[in-house]
Amino acid sequence: MTKRPPLFGRFVRDEDGAGTIFALILLMVCTGLMGVAVDFTNAWRHREMLKSTADVAAHAGIIAMAKGGNIGTVRSAATNAIELNTPVDQYGDILHDELEDVLPLHYDAATGILTDVGEINAIRVVVQRSADVANPVPTFFLKLAGIKSWDVAADSVAVVDATQMCNNNDGIFAKGGIELRANTSVGAGGCIYSQSGVWMPQMTTFDSGALVGMPDLVDCRGKCVDYANPGVEAAVFEANLLMPDLGNLIDATFATFVDAKVTTDDETAFFADKPMAADLSPLDEIGINTIALRTGSLVALTPASWAKLRSVPAGLVYFVDCATQGKEATNVLTLTDSGSGHAIEGVAILTTCAVQFDGTADVRNALIISTANGPKPAITAADGALIGDPTLGCSGADRSVIMAKGDLMAPSDFAGSNVAFVVDGDITLAANSTASEVESTGLSLFATGAVKVAAGHSFHACGLPPYALVPKISVIRFVMPTSLALASG
């Protein structure tokens, strides 16, 4: 038998080099995994940066929208925010097409669908680092495997949505401060909200289910505690709720109703339960041709002809223009029953005059708008005047809305029930002429300025669904739509 040489045997049995080979292979695997991890981490980091930028841009755009900006203003606010957050000179282009990637849309909160059909209440922002914008995220180690870059994108959708916290038919809402004097009570479902702070010196009582809020509870000035105002600790909340521009809303509503050639959904809904009166003789008596009048028709009057009306026939729009008066005129339109004993009911009264409710005035189921904006209040009322439902009822068909471009000042018992005041100024409900408590049901006050309510007022909620002519109280939030359905494809 032939023996193998000793050196050959040692070579076969020697394993000293195996560890080196396995180490090299393991090093290559670890290096590859590390490279993938580095590149994946870098891509994730850029995606998070894009997401942050999309959120900032969508928020800036929706703020501009909430302030009444047009589509151009909204897009400009969003694109400016993108540039501030990720400057082009540092990060390159991240917008492919501004018209497609910064898109005002409609968001349906019930279905979660985002679409370009319907009222615009949302903005969608898409940003990316990709080959489409010639700005992909470069790789490091993955270049060795032929992967030179990543395409990364992010989007964000912000909406202005009606708040579910407060019912706009039951509460006091102001951009300025709200002051509630002692012995005021807010019932379940009532909401007090100010963008500037609520001042309640003492003994404002909140029932379970009532709310009082402001953006910063510091503005409660130490009074949001139960020993000062019973029930307030359970009622208080901190949030940034939004009101539309009340001046613009009033102007738009005025223009809608005074234009006889245009009929909007709001106008149609308003007159749906307000048929024209069968007896138009009070208009005939002052020289108005009533033959062609129909429900919702416009009747233009001078202040002098208005004063001659013995009653106000229902189902019509009355426009009284104080600009036709001479310099010596008082420019005040007085609402009264004129001795007829009839309430002013089922009408829209639009005027450039200030409005004075005298002690006999009884206004129900009506819309009244004054665009007077001078040093004196636009709406005033004498003791005994009443707007709204005196029975404290909650029928949606009986709701009244009073709008004014100036201040409103009235006795506290003037504000009846089932009525909304929308004022581009201050609201002051002065002390009652008697010591008795004043109760209101379904009352809402909206003011660009401050609201002051005298002592001894009790607010109760009706809980009715939103009324078309009443401002919407909204909140800005981010959403994740269930789907995107664009009619344009």
Side-chain angles (χ1 to χ4, degrees):
M1 182 177 216
T2 305
K3 293 184 179 179
R4 293 177 180 175
L7 288 176
F8 179 79
R10 286 198 303 271
F11 177 78
V12 170
R13 294 190 300 271
D14 193 352
E15 298 179 355
D16 289 347
T20 302
I21 294 172
F22 286 128
L24 289 173
I25 294 173
L26 184 60
L27 177 62
M28 293 174 63
V29 171
C30 290
T31 302
L33 291 175
M34 182 178 68
V36 171
V38 168
D39 283 324
F40 268 105
T41 300
N42 187 50
W44 174 85
R45 183 174 64 84
H46 279 85
R47 197 269 174 193
E48 289 300 300
M49 180 195 68
L50 290 175
K51 178 59 177 172
S52 176
T53 296
D55 286 345
V56 168
H59 186 263
I62 208 68
I63 288 290
M65 185 182 295
K67 292 180 178 179
N70 57 31
I71 291 177
T73 303
V74 170
R75 277 204 173 99
S76 178
T79 55
N80 288 342
I82 290 173
E83 174 60 22
L84 286 172
N85 209 55
T86 49
V88 172
D89 59 357
Q90 295 182 39
Y91 298 94
D93 288 325
I94 61 173
L95 275 179
H96 178 243
D97 185 332
E98 180 180 317
L99 297 181
E100 294 182 0
D101 295 340
V102 182
L103 199 59
L105 296 166
H106 172 73
Y107 176 74
D108 187 333
T111 64
I113 296 175
L114 196 63
T115 177
D116 54 2
V117 177
E119 179 187 3
I120 293 175
N121 65 347
I123 182 168
R124 179 175 186 251
V125 176
V126 179
V127 290
Q128 57 188 304
R129 289 197 61 177
S130 68
D132 288 341
V133 293
N135 185 29
V137 178
T139 60
F140 299 100
F141 293 98
L142 288 180
K143 287 180 180 179
L144 301 175
I147 302 174
K148 296 182 179 180
S149 62
W150 299 105
D151 286 347
V152 182
D155 73 311
S156 181
V157 178
V159 303
V160 178
D161 198 14
T163 179
Q164 302 300 308
M165 184 172 291
C166 292
N167 186 335
N168 64 343
N169 289 330
D170 297 305
I172 302 176
F173 308 95
K175 293 186 177 181
I178 294 176
E179 181 177 332
L180 303 177
R181 304 307 297 182
N183 299 318
T184 294
S185 64
V186 183
C191 184
I192 311 297
Y193 182 83
S194 166
Q195 293 181 344
S196 303
V198 180
W199 174 237
M200 303 169 288
Q202 61 180 347
M203 294 308 296
T204 293
T205 303
F206 293 88
D207 291 348
S208 176
L211 294 169
V212 57
M214 59 208 80
D216 190 340
L217 292 183
V218 170
D219 294 323
C220 199
R221 293 186 277 176
K223 295 297 183 177
C224 286
V225 288
D226 285 348
Y227 69 79
N229 296 290
V232 70
E233 292 178 19
V236 71
F237 67 93
E238 188 175 84
N240 188 21
L241 303 184
L242 304 176
M243 278 198 304
D245 186 304
L246 299 184
N248 289 342
L249 176 64
I250 294 167
D251 287 338
T253 307
F254 188 98
T256 292
F257 278 80
V258 83
D259 190 340
K261 297 179 181 179
V262 176
T263 301
T264 65
D265 291 343
D266 283 352
E267 201 170 353
T268 299
F270 178 78
F271 283 108
D273 62 346
K274 300 174 180 65
M276 188 175 67
D279 181 11
L280 300 180
S281 60
L283 294 174
D284 292 320
E285 292 166 3
I286 62 172
I288 301 298
N289 184 356
T290 61
I291 295 176
L293 294 181
R294 301 290 184 270
T295 298
S297 291
L298 181 71
V299 177
L301 301 173
T302 64
S305 59
W306 171 268
K308 294 177 183 179
L309 278 176
R310 57 180 172 84
S311 65
V312 183
L316 299 168
V317 179
Y318 295 89
F319 173 49
V320 184
D321 190 2
C322 273
T324 61
Q325 298 195 111
K327 293 182 179 179
E328 297 178 358
T330 60
N331 290 339
V332 175
L333 182 70
T334 301
L335 300 186
T336 178
D337 75 352
S338 302
S340 65
H342 297 295
I344 297 176
E345 187 170 5
V347 298
I349 300 173
L350 317 177
T351 181
T352 58
C353 315
V355 174
Q356 164 72 36
F357 291 77
D358 77 3
T360 66
D362 184 358
V363 180
R364 309 179 194 180
N365 194 18
L367 169 66
I368 298 175
I369 306 178
S370 169
T371 58
N373 187 11
K376 295 183 178 180
I379 304 286
T380 55
D383 287 339
L386 177 67
I387 175 71
D389 186 350
T391 68
L392 305 185
C394 284
S395 170
D398 294 331
R399 189 157 185 78
S400 294
V401 179
I402 311 300
M403 297 182 169
K405 289 294 293 287
D407 298 340
L408 181 151
M409 182 174 292
S412 59
D413 57 350
F414 167 68
S417 292
N418 214 2
V419 59
F421 294 92
V422 182
V423 175
D424 191 23
D426 298 333
I427 295 177
T428 302
L429 296 182
N432 191 11
S433 56
T434 68
S436 60
E437 183 180 66
V438 177
E439 291 193 64
S440 297
T441 303
L443 172 68
S444 53
L445 308 178
F446 300 84
T448 299
V451 175
K452 296 182 180 180
V453 178
H457 208 114
S458 179
F459 299 99
H460 304 281
C462 277
L464 294 174
Y467 190 69
L469 297 175
V470 176
K472 295 178 181 178
I473 304 301
S474 304
V475 63
I476 289 175
R477 61 191 182 99
F478 292 100
V479 298
M480 296 182 66
T482 57
S483 64
L484 177 65
L486 300 183
S488 58

